[in-house]
Amino acid sequence: MTLIEMHKNLFLEECSRLTRLIFNCLQKLEKNPIDLDTIEMMVNAADVIRGGAKFLEDVDLELNAKMLIELFKGTQDMRDRKKEHEMMMGVFRGLVNKTHSSIA
């Protein structure tokens, strides 16, 4: 295995883990929409995903991470972003399913 392939596998695993983390954060925010630590963790994870997706040349993943960052960066209360939250739940649910099946 080449060094580039090893790095791609590492980034793929990390993006997969962070995608699940974001989905879990979105679920947690349904119950506590003003949990600023969870919002910040989610946005930070999306930022890391965006960089990894760029390296992996996964345009869809990069775009979805960027969209999440733009929608929720600086958000104090997820109740103000209910529609955006629902949209991202659907997107990241699909990404979790996709990355889980590609790793399994």
Side-chain angles (χ1 to χ4, degrees), residues 67-83:
M67 188 179 351
L68 185 134
I69 294 165
E70 290 175 2
L71 289 172
F72 300 118
K73 188 173 185 177
T75 297
Q76 302 292 311
D77 187 339
M78 292 296 282
R79 291 174 292 199
D80 297 338
R81 305 283 170 100
K82 187 164 177 56
K83 288 182 182 182

Side-chain angles (χ1 to χ4, degrees), residues 48-103:
V48 173
I49 287 173
R50 182 174 56 178
K54 226 177 238 193
F55 177 77
L56 294 169
E57 298 176 347
D58 187 332
V59 177
D60 289 335
L61 184 58
E62 182 182 353
L63 179 65
N64 286 310
K66 181 180 177 185
M67 188 179 351
L68 185 134
I69 294 165
E70 290 175 2
L71 289 172
F72 300 118
K73 188 173 185 177
T75 297
Q76 302 292 311
D77 187 339
M78 292 296 282
R79 291 174 292 199
D80 297 338
R81 305 283 170 100
K82 187 164 177 56
K83 288 182 182 182
E84 293 91 341
H85 177 266
E86 290 172 4
M87 178 184 64
M88 287 287 104
M89 281 287 290
V91 167
F92 277 85
R93 180 179 291 114
L95 290 172
V96 165
N97 292 337
K98 177 182 169 186
T99 58
H100 177 71
S101 65
S102 69
I103 290 178

Side-chain angles (χ1 to χ4, degrees), residues 26-33:
L26 287 164
Q27 288 180 313
K28 187 175 179 183
L29 289 166
E30 285 181 318
K31 295 176 184 137
N32 185 6

Side-chain angles (χ1 to χ4, degrees), residues 20-36:
R20 285 190 304 277
L21 175 73
I22 288 173
F23 183 69
N24 292 339
C25 286
L26 287 164
Q27 288 180 313
K28 187 175 179 183
L29 289 166
E30 285 181 318
K31 295 176 184 137
N32 185 6
I34 58 171
D35 184 343
L36 298 180

